[in-house]
Structures are given as structure tokens and as C-alpha cells.
RNA sequence: GCCCCAUUCGUCUAGCGGCCCAGGACGUGGCCCUCUCAAGGCCAAAACAGGGGUUCGAGUCCCCUAUGGGGCACCA
């Protein structure tokens, strides 16, 4: 059991195509957990060899997403490292040099087929027919020297079977006759993924390639390229992917509606989780639990706890439907789990976003009452926003809020008027003291607790749903609580008159 | 069309030949607790895709079929 293995280096190598998608993050997370488990490094490399698809600002978004989730990166374009640059468009000379080396060694060849010719071949049903595979070397070099447009293709074996070891699936086998002579270097001098990632993973000493299953079909190609270079191969793990919540198709890149998720808009981009009020701890916990499990039936665990147990061999090879409903539960678990003061500081932005000017010491007193009743940080505004509105502006809520079930205006007014002197008489205005006084009143008056407590709740909070009434009053203070109750009494007077 | 990978409750999963008339979790339903909303506790319904093998014994191994996912680009 290697607690430390300096040789372990895993990486996340996304294309900079915009906001970070949760599917990509999940793949990255498994590589990250693996690296951390073995005391290794986790590297970020930007694969921007397709100029058309690159989106400005993507790197910043990736870095922000990882920072928010608490996944630290050891080397990358934003932090540097010994094996940079970590952006492929800055490594072009490497790819060209190695592509030419493969041609010289006879492992690859120049292909002068035009786009029209290729379209023709595709139309005919089969792929590229390898027409330049045996093109004489001298003519090939001559045409290239004349500046004739060409790509460099890899010479795949024409027969036999290629076997590879996948850490998750075990041995996988492919019939070489099915494989094509893939393009390594495009006519614009940019490499394809196939060439670039191998040159980089070798140069950056990557020990374990963790990537999504869609790469499995090109695994044999990559294996042959590694062999052609004569480089020591890393280990491979092809990770399962996330499917839409209904299990149909890969999880969509775009935010969208899913019937199976109750018509709710399902978050898929990292910033959507943040703005929806999910805790990063909950999001990471959620993702870690898909395709991998803690091992002792525990569902709620920290990153550190997961790291201590993580193994790629334990990853479930099957793709999974995106179990988004579980995230709400996990989020509420995490909201209960963090310290109340920590919750307070995380709640502040949500309140401010809702337009409240937040008094931090007040928020610290309110936070404990919210801990068991928030599913999302965003729920704080409807539940407890009233604490942060200007108290001077407080107005009694309408009668339909004040009057509880099976009660009328007169009865409600009577309850509030009776409570007033009882509360006023309390020297200790703690929730417990209030509860004792009011519960005694309810019992002696023959009223249900619900009717009494509910009337008070509505009077002081202005809401039907709120944190526990006596907690609310304790936080508001005796004077403010009494003032609000009197306001409610007055409102009911006019309702009756 | 060809190739690859996968297949346990609605969903996420445990299970690596006997400990499984299949366990946990979310969700759902019920009960309890309860000042609202929650949280919490208890209970319930709910699955080994189908068919062949191998074996004393199969959810676990093999084959076929079905279904799902992915790939077959000068995208990654």
C-alpha cells in the first residue's frame, strides 16, 4: 500500500472551450483523487490545438472552478512548473519535431490527399484508403519541400490484435484491421490530440492517464504511437461518463430542462452550482460518489477522507445517469455539518444578492437557526431575509398571514394581547423562558400551541414559515418583538372594525 | 454499417463462486417527534436485462441475444 509514490503524476487536459462542465470536472476529480492518494502531482494542461474552438477566458474559468471546488493544482499555465509551457499552442515546435522524427523512422508518412479526395473516400463508405502510405520517400520529401499541402499520418499495423491494460476495465483488445492511419499533424502545422497528448504526457512525466471512455476506441492507436517513440508508457484509466438524468445520452453541455428532474433546470456548469447555493464540499462529495463509493456505506465524507481510500481499480466501469436529486440532500447535510459561523459567512453573499445589507453579528446569531432548514444557501432570503430588512420599515403582515388555521381575527388579537404582558414580564428573554411562559398560557387558555405560537410567529416575522418563533424573538430582542406584536394587534383591530 | 465498452431497486451504488430468499443511500409512501418549515427516528414498497453453458453451488466465470453508451474527422 503505497502511502507515498513520488512518481505519480496525473493530469487534466481540457480544451479551452468555455465554462467548465461538470462531466469534465468529474473526470478531473478522479485523476486528482488518485494523485493526492499517492502523494503525487496534479497537472493542468490546456489543449488548444484546435484554434477554431478556443474560447478566450477559458483558462481563467477552469482555474476558478478548481479553486472553488478546493481541488489544488500543482503545475499549470497559471502556476508554472518544471515542465512548461502548459499550453499546447506554445509547444508547436515539439510536435513538429516529433512528427518528423516518426516520418524519418518510418512510423509515419506524409499524406497529400486533398479534402475533396477524403470526402470522396468517406462517401464511398470506408475511411482513408492509405493511398500515400507507400509513397516513395524521396518523392514525398520533394513534394513537401515544394510546399505541397500535406498531413502526417501514423502507420498502423494492418493485421493482428492490440491489447492494452485499462486500470478500470482490465485487458481490452482491438482488431488492428479495423483501425485507421490517423492524422498526427495537420496541414496547418498543428498536431492532433493523438500526437500532442503523447508528446506532452511523455515530456511532463505523466504516470497515469485518466480520461473519459470516449478515448477508449483510440487507445490502440495511442499504444502504437508510444511504442513507435520507444517511450515508457504511462498507465491508463478510461473513466465512465455522466449521462443525462433520464439515462439517455451523454450529459448535455447546455443547461436544460429534464422531465425526470421535475422540470427543474439542472445545473451542469460549475458556476451554476455556485449561484444555485450549493457548497463546494457537497458538489465534490456528490461527484465522488458517482462511480465510486466510500466503501463502508458512508455517503457524506470529506475530500480528505475520500483521498485516504481512493483507488482507480474501484471505479465502476459503467456510465451513470446524473443523480442530481441526491445533491440537494447532500447539500443540506453539508450545511448542517459546517460550523454555524462558517455557514454565516457563506450565507452573506446570498443575502446581499437578494438585496439585503447584512449585519454580520446579526447573521451570526441567525445562522444557527437556519442550519437544519436550508437546502441551499439561496434559501436564506425567503426564510430569514426579514431579519436583515430595515426594522423601522417593518409593517404587520396581512390578516391572512396572522390568522392561523381555525382561528379568527378576534381570537388572534386576543392571543397576541395576552402574550404581550407575559413576554414583557420576562427578565430572561431566552427562547426557553419565552417558551415556558407562552406554553403555560396556551395550556391554561385551552388553545393549541400551534395557534398561539403561529400567531406570534406571523406577528414578529411577518411570515408563515420562519425559524422557530422564540428564537426569532430572542434575536429581535424584547423591545422589537413587543413592538411588532403591538403592530399586529393594531392591524387586527382595523381588520375587525 | 463496422468496432469498442457497459448492463444489480425509479436513480447512485455494495457485492470480486457459497456470508445474498441481494445490503446502503437518494427519491417515494406511512408512522413517530413537532410552534411553521425543516431536521431526526422507525417502517414499507422497490433490482441481479433475457437465454444458454461451466460448477456440488452463479448476481459473481464463459458464450449468445437484447438494450444503453461511445468511437469510426486535418475536434478534443
Amino acid at each position: 500500500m503505497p502511502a507515498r509514490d513520488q512518481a505519480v503524476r496525473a493530469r487534466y487536459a481540457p480544451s479551452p472551450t468555455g465554462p467548465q462542465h461538470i462531466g469534465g470536472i468529474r473526470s478531473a476529480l478522479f485523476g486528482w483523487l488518485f494523485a493526492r492518494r499517492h502523494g503525487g502531482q496534479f497537472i493542468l494542461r490546456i489543449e488548444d490545438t484546435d484554434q477554431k474552438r478556443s474560447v478566450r477566458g477559458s483558462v481563467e474559468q477552469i482555474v476558478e472552478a478548481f479553486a472553488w471546488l478546493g481541488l489544488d493544482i500543482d503545475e499549470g499555465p497559471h502556476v508554472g512548473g518544471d515542465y512548461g509551457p502548459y499550453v499546447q499552442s506554445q509547444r508547436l515546435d515539439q510536435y513538429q519535431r516529433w512528427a518528423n522524427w516518426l516520418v524519418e523512422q518510418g512510423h509515419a508518412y506524409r499524406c497529400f490527399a486533398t479534402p475533396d479526395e477524403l470526402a470522396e473516400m468517406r462517401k464511398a463508405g470506408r475511411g482513408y484508403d492509405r493511398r500515400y502510405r507507400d509513397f516513395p520517400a524521396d518523392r514525398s520529401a520533394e513534394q513537401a519541400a515544394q510546399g505541397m499541402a500535406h498531413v502526417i499520418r501514423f502507420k498502423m499495423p494492418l493485421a493482428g490484435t492490440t491489447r492494452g491494460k485499462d486500470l478500470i476495465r482490465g485487458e481490452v483488445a482491438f482488431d488492428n484491421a479495423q483501425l485507421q492511419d490517423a492524422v498526427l499533424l495537420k496541414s496547418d502545422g498543428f498536431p492532433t490530440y493523438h500526437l500532442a497528448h503523447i508528446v506532452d504526457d511523455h515530456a511532463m512525466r505523466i504516470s497515469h492517464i485518466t480520461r473519459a471512455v470516449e478515448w477508449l476506441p483510440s487507445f490502440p492507436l495511442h499504444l502504437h504511437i508510444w511504442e513507435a517513440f520507444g517511450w515508457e508508457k504511462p498507465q491508463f484509466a478510461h473513466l465512465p461518463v455522466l449521462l443525462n438524468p433520464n439515462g439517455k445520452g451523454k450529459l448535455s453541455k447546455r443547461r436544460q430542462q429534464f422531465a425526470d428532474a421535475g422540470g427543474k433546470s439542472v445545473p451542469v456548469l460549475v458556476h451554476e452550482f455556485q449561484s444555485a447555493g450549493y457548497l463546494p464540499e457537497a458538489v465534490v462529495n456528490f461527484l465522488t460518489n458517482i462511480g465510486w463509493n466510500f466503501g463502508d456505506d458512508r455517503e457524506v465524507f470529506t475530500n480528505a477522507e475520500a483521498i485516504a481510500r481512493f483507488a482507480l481499480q474501484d471505479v465502476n466501469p459503467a456510465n451513470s445517469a446524473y443523480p442530481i436529486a441526491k445533491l440537494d440532500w447532500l447539500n443540506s447535510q453539508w450545511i448542517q455539518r459546517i460550523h454555524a459561523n462558517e455557514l454565516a459567512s457563506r450565507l452573506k453573499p446570498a443575502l446581499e444578492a437578494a438585496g439585503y445589507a447584512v449585519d454580520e453579528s446579526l447573521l451570526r446569531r441567525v445562522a444557527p437557526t437556519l442550519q437544519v432548514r436550508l437546502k441551499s444557501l439561496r434559501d436564506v432570503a425567503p426564510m430569514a431575509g426579514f431579519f436583515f430588512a430595515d426594522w423601522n420599515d417593518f409593517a404587520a403582515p396581512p390578516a391572512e398571514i396572522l390568522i392561523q388555521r381555525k382561528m379568527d381575527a378576534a381570537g388572534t388579537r386576543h392571543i397576541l394581547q395576552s402574550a404581550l404582558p407575559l413576554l414583557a414580564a420576562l427578565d430572561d428573554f431566552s427562547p426557553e423562558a419565552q417558551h415556558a411562559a407562552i406554553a403555560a398560557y396556551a395550556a391554561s387558555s385551552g388553545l393549541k400551541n400551534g395557534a398561539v405560537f403561529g400567531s406570534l410567529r406571523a406577528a414578529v416575522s411577518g411570515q408563515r414559515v420562519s425559524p422557530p418563533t422564540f428564537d426569532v424573538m430572542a434575536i429581535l430582542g424584547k423591545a422589537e418583538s413587543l413592538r411588532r406584536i403591538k403592530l399586529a394587534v393594531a392591524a387586527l383591530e382595523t381588520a375587525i372594525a
Side-chain angles (χ1 to χ4, degrees):
Chain A
M1 195 181 88
R4 261 188 102 68
D5 181 352
Q6 292 294 352
V8 168
R9 288 170 60 82
R11 46 66 162 183
Y12 176 48
S15 289
T17 52
Q20 278 303 284
H21 184 252
I22 203 67
I25 295 289
R26 216 248 323 199
S27 297
L29 174 62
F30 283 161
W32 183 88
L33 286 166
F34 179 76
R36 294 293 169 252
R37 169 70 181 83
H38 295 281
Q41 276 89 48
F42 184 71
I43 292 105
L44 172 66
R45 181 176 70 227
I46 303 302
E47 307 213 325
D48 60 343
T49 56
D50 184 359
Q51 304 153 290
K52 293 184 289 291
R53 298 205 316 161
S54 289
V55 175
R56 277 195 55 189
S58 296
V59 177
E60 289 72 15
Q61 287 181 322
I62 293 165
V63 169
E64 275 169 33
F66 276 74
W68 182 69
L69 290 165
L71 307 177
D72 53 323
I73 296 169
D74 300 301
E75 299 170 27
H78 59 308
V79 286
D82 295 339
Y83 302 93
Y86 293 89
V87 177
Q88 288 189 329
S89 58
Q90 295 168 21
R91 304 173 63 87
L92 260 26
D93 53 332
Q94 293 284 316
Y95 312 126
Q96 285 157 3
R97 179 181 144 221
W98 285 112
N100 287 325
W101 186 86
L102 286 173
V103 171
E104 286 160 21
Q105 298 297 311
H107 290 120
Y109 60 94
R110 295 185 194 87
C111 169
F112 299 90
T114 64
D116 286 347
E117 287 179 86
L118 291 168
E120 198 77 7
M121 287 179 245
R122 255 194 302 276
K123 232 169 110 186
R126 286 198 311 280
Y128 175 64
D129 62 7
R130 308 190 219 245
R131 61 182 58 172
Y132 284 94
R133 184 170 165 124
D134 298 314
F135 199 57
D138 52 341
R139 286 186 58 198
S140 170
E142 192 182 319
Q143 291 193 4
Q146 286 166 2
M148 200 165 158
H150 64 276
V151 300
I152 289 176
R153 286 182 184 270
F154 188 71
K155 258 187 208 173
M156 281 295 285
L158 300 173
T161 300
T162 301
R163 292 175 204 287
K165 190 191 162 205
D166 178 83
L167 259 17
I168 295 172
R169 289 151 224 276
E171 189 184 87
V172 283
F174 304 83
D175 178 6
N176 290 336
Q178 299 291 334
L179 303 164
Q180 305 223 336
D181 285 356
V183 172
L184 299 178
L185 200 71
K186 304 180 228 177
S187 56
D188 63 2
F190 277 66
T192 60
Y193 170 83
H194 305 302
L195 203 223
H197 91 274
I198 291 172
V199 168
D200 288 343
D201 283 338
H202 175 254
M204 295 178 183
R205 309 280 187 274
I206 298 303
S207 66
H208 295 261
I209 294 181
T210 51
R211 60 186 2 173
V213 259
E214 49 247 40
W215 290 113
L216 199 52
S218 49
F219 186 25
L221 164 67
H222 301 155
L223 254 14
H224 283 110
I225 298 175
W226 281 98
E227 263 155 33
F229 278 128
W231 294 336
E232 190 191 342
K233 289 193 277 283
Q235 302 219 66
F236 294 83
H238 292 92
L239 302 165
V241 298
L242 257 24
L243 271 24
N244 284 320
N246 58 13
K248 297 279 179 189
K250 251 175 59 169
L251 185 60
S252 308
K253 289 232 158 83
R254 299 215 172 132
R255 186 198 223 174
Q256 96 178 55
Q257 306 277 123
F258 297 102
D260 291 4
K264 264 177 66 178
S265 173
V266 170
V268 290
L269 304 176
V270 174
H271 66 79
E272 291 171 348
F273 289 86
Q274 190 168 10
S275 57
Y278 291 108
L279 263 39
E281 290 93 333
V283 175
V284 171
N285 191 162
F286 168 67
L287 292 176
T288 307
N289 240 339
I290 307 170
W292 184 80
N293 71 90
F294 198 76
D296 70 351
D297 288 343
R298 213 181 323 173
E299 305 278 336
V300 185
F301 47 80
T302 64
N303 244 343
E305 290 168 328
I307 288 167
R309 290 173 171 244
F310 188 79
L312 285 169
Q313 285 80 357
D314 294 337
V315 172
N316 184 337
N319 295 337
S320 33
Y322 188 46
I324 188 64
K326 223 166 177 171
L327 178 60
D328 282 333
W329 173 75
L330 233 20
N331 204 43
S332 68
Q333 292 296 310
W334 273 96
I335 286 173
Q336 289 183 60
R337 196 175 160 133
I338 59 179
H339 186 90
N341 287 343
E342 176 63 23
L343 176 61
S345 60
R346 300 207 197 185
L347 250 17
K348 195 179 174 204
L351 282 164
E352 286 171 342
Y356 295 104
V358 178
D359 175 327
E360 287 190 36
S361 70
L362 175 60
L363 178 53
R364 267 186 221 260
R365 281 183 292 145
V366 172
T369 72
L370 265 21
Q371 208 138 17
V372 296
R373 36 182 62 80
L374 255 33
K375 263 206 175 69
S376 147
L377 297 179
R378 258 194 348 194
D379 295 343
V380 68
M383 175 71 75
F386 69 91
F387 279 116
F388 303 93
D390 190 334
W391 292 7
N392 295 318
D393 294 342
F394 183 82
E400 60 264 31
I401 301 287
L402 282 169
I403 299 168
Q404 303 301 295
R405 261 177 26 140
K406 296 186 182 167
M407 292 293 298
D408 58 16
T412 303
R413 183 190 57 179
H414 180 70
I415 288 171
L416 296 177
Q417 276 179 327
S418 308
L420 237 18
L422 298 173
L423 292 168
L426 293 175
D427 289 327
D428 171 11
F429 205 63
S430 68
E432 296 72 27
Q434 294 172 43
H435 187 278
I438 300 300
Y441 159 68
S444 68
S445 68
L447 289 161
K448 286 248 184 346
N449 277 355
V452 177
F453 295 8
S455 302
L456 288 166
R457 170 199 321 288
V460 297
S461 70
Q463 302 178 173
R464 281 214 118 105
V465 173
S466 80
T469 303
F470 304 122
D471 288 326
V472 170
M473 292 201 283
I475 292 167
L476 291 173
K478 194 204 261 188
E480 178 65 11
S481 299
L482 294 178
R483 186 179 81 83
R484 292 187 177 196
I485 294 168
K486 286 174 191 159
L487 248 27
V489 170
L492 288 167
E493 304 281 358
T494 57
I496 292 164

